Amino acid sequence: MSPPVLPLGSIPAALDLAGIAVFALSGALLAAKLRQTFVTMAFFALITGVGGGSVRDLLIGAPVFWIHDPWVAPVCLATAFVAWFTPTRWWDGELLDWADAAGLAAYSVIGTAKSLAYGVPIVPAVLMGVITGCVGGIIRDVIAGRPSILMRPELYVTAAALSAALAAALSGLERAVAWPIAMTAGFALRGLAIRRKLALPAYGRGQRQD
């Protein structure tokens, strides 16, 4: 059976690569802050940029997307090159957080849509969307030896889950309608978390009360 026609053609290639570059930059900047070599920086950029999509493709039985694309790996490496030659203070503040929020929402939707196109049931497809948006950052953090986004209360994975769930729920609509709604919802939730420091409550049942 030939692979399905994937619903990704409506995303301009430049926009797709820009989203990957944002994720790659976050990986490269972490390596820079840890005072690592360029090799480590390039590795962090690549694993953060393609990690989530690679895990998704392996799980749903699709060709790993960046292996067959002549631009993805060079863009990740070029992003590391840019980060190497620029001071980290250029990227301080919330600019990168907001760009990352946009990439998170977009790739959570893309991952869900691709999984549905490969016949994955709705709930696993939503989880594949979350994996697409988040796993690259999780791998980066684990390798760096710092608490991953899964271990922090901030609304990050939750924002990815919102975009992915809406993408699945609205999959019967035209992509031009469903995708912007799903992306905007996840981006807005992540934006509220950035602005207002929103976080999930920590587990507290059964704790001693002094």
Side-chain angles (χ1 to χ4, degrees), residues 9 27 30 35 45 55 61 68 76-77 86 97 100 111 114 119 145 149-150 161 168 181 186 199-200 205:
L30 176 58
R35 303 293 184 183
V55 172
H68 305 280
C76 291
L77 297 177
T86 55
D97 288 337
D100 181 76
K114 183 171 185 177
I149 51 179
L150 281 178
I181 292 173
L200 294 174
R205 187 181 301 275

Side-chain angles (χ1 to χ4, degrees), residues 8 21 23 39 52-53 118 138 146 149 157 169 182:
L8 305 181
F23 285 142
V39 171
Y118 269 82
I138 293 172
R146 71 172 194 168
I149 51 179
V157 177

Side-chain angles (χ1 to χ4, degrees), residues 82-128:
V82 169
W84 179 260
F85 285 102
T86 55
T88 56
R89 66 176 182 274
W90 285 18
W91 311 103
D92 287 340
E94 294 183 347
L95 176 61
L96 187 59
D97 288 337
W98 284 99
D100 181 76
L104 176 73
Y107 280 94
S108 298
V109 171
I110 292 170
T112 303
K114 183 171 185 177
S115 300
L116 290 172
Y118 269 82
V120 176
I122 288 179
V123 173
V126 170
L127 296 177
M128 292 301 103

